[in-house]
Amino acid sequence: MPHLTVEYTDNLAGLPGQQLLAELNAVVCGHTTVQDEADVKARLLPLSCFEIGTAPAQRGFVHVQLRLLSGRSDAVKKELSDAMAAVLHRLTPQPPGMLVQLSVEIADMDRASYYKGRL
């Protein structure tokens, strides 16, 4: 824990994927509620098969989901969400004529049933 997943439509030409992932990861790792940076697992998933609404328009999206062990306050979740949204706004390209949607979701993982081990 935490788990950071970034999904994006692959029609966003010029998205700096590795930089985006590194900067989002740095936001999470740098937060005071994250004790060990090695606990943050991040992944970037391009989507080649997607639908956005029903209109035949050029559209794309970037969605970030951060899964954290339950127990953090709404204020902490909002801080993390706002900081990650700022990174998305700065690094996501907007191709001409394309509507690009950005979203961030903070989700709780059940602390009682979550398992994590190290080898």
Side-chain angles (χ1 to χ4, degrees), residues 52-102:
I52 302 171
T54 58
Q58 281 286 84
R59 297 175 178 171
F61 69 83
V62 180
H63 174 70
V64 175
Q65 182 188 61
L66 178 63
R67 297 182 51 78
L68 300 164
L69 285 178
S70 58
R72 287 175 176 80
S73 70
D74 288 344
V76 164
K77 293 176 193 176
K78 179 77 169 126
E79 283 175 15
L80 285 162
S81 179
D82 288 348
M84 289 188 292
V87 172
L88 289 181
H89 278 281
R90 189 167 38 80
L91 295 180
T92 302
Q94 185 177 11
M98 180 181 282
L99 170 68
V100 179
Q101 298 180 48
L102 306 176

Side-chain angles (χ1 to χ4, degrees), residues 23 29 32 34 37 43 47 53 55 65-67 69 76 99:
E23 291 194 27
C29 290
T32 59
V34 176
E37 57 80 27
R43 72 273 286 155
L47 304 170
Q65 182 188 61
L66 178 63
R67 297 182 51 78
L69 285 178
V76 164
L99 170 68

Side-chain angles (χ1 to χ4, degrees), residues 36 38-39 41 115-119:
D36 184 354
D39 285 342
K41 277 80 67 189
Y115 167 78
K116 183 187 124 192
R118 289 190 178 188
L119 302 177

